[in-house]
Amino acid sequence: MRRLLLAIAVAALVVSPARATTRGAVLHEPIPPDAREDLAMHVSLDGDLPAALQTPSGVVSAPDPRAPPTSLDRAYGARADADVFQPDRDTRRPESSAYDEPFTPSTAPYKRDEAFDAVREDYSLYVRDTRLAVVSPGATPGPEDEEFYADLVVDIPPSAHVRIPTVGPGARVVRARLGVGAEELPYVIERDGADRWFVRAPTVTTPLRARLVMEITIARATFGGQMGDPSWSDLPMVPPLPDNVSRAAAVVRAAIGVSRGMRPREATAKLVQYFRGFVDSDAPPPPLANVYLDLALSKKGVCRHRAFVFLVTALGLGLPTRMVHNEAHAWVEVNDGTLWRRIDLGGAGQFEGDAASALRGRPVYRPPPDAFAWPPNAQRGDDMAAEARARAEAGGGGS
């Protein structure tokens, strides 16, 4: 444990008698933690968590799993809101001052929080399969995987699940610890059909605030690089859309010029090109048909509008797709027959205030190259985070 890496007291005793009498013997001297030493010495913390990880962003130190959660911490708790996304027509570029970044290296603004994979007749989105499956710790990172730390403060109610974010689809837990200071708590982490994560503490009988620290691993290809080239029959089955939504999706597919006569990878590229060409606007699209058709055919919208209309259009085509969002950004995930791949469609807003300041000095995850071209002057999620860090490190925080 890094707490054992104090100064070597023996060295302090090897001083001349004159110096010992004039200055006194130095018994010990604290040494600041060194992530590289922790990594080389395989130092472990509570929960058998490694004290440091080697990542593409460099060697990073673990959060302290014993750090007591306080009332000032941003906490994840049980939510009373329905698990539904309602599309809207406010196409102005958004600002966010509430983003919480629990991951090291930082993945901002791509914290995977909400996810949806199905559409109702009124165009609201929901999760088709809400059954939960256990995410067991003990995963072994492979040579094509990335590793991250997660540091979450969680308000745990008795006998209830708390939804927590993760770094991306298909993530796995290597090690984890849930606790309050030195007290360690039994825990269970679970995921639903849209790969949203939940944590519960079976022994908790009264509400409490705890800290959950995890070592997480995930396939690097999830975040970028060339997609696979499957046939349509190689993809997971996509249930049919409601009839009215299916008819509207066919109109949009015809406008884009995309069909199942293309291979899935070609169709995905065509959809990405179209929806990355949207623009934010202070004037919302006029209500001519329904919210989906009005957004899709006007090519107006920020990140959440692009992700919403991409999802509906792709599902109508039979392409397995999810819309994912958090308090600052939205994007989609497309299954290429092997992996769920994150695809940013642009339309990002701007971090302000505390959200920008929280990114100051954080090691940043560098994903593989994007597989799809970007139009000029696109507002990408990566740019959103980079601009916020630059302002924060210049001393400005938000703008």
Side-chain angles (χ1 to χ4, degrees), residues 189-207:
I189 296 172
E190 296 168 293
R191 57 162 47 103
D192 66 14
D195 209 0
R196 300 181 304 170
W197 283 27
F198 301 80
V199 65
R200 59 185 174 90
T203 62
V204 168
T205 57
T206 58

Side-chain angles (χ1 to χ4, degrees), residues 20-31:
T21 54
T22 57
R23 298 178 58 189
V26 179
L27 299 180
H28 58 80
E29 179 181 344
I31 296 178

Side-chain angles (χ1 to χ4, degrees), residues 5-31:
L5 297 178
L6 303 175
I8 301 173
V10 174
L13 298 176
V14 184
V15 295
S16 67
R19 290 182 64 191
T21 54
T22 57
R23 298 178 58 189
V26 179
L27 299 180
H28 58 80
E29 179 181 344
I31 296 178

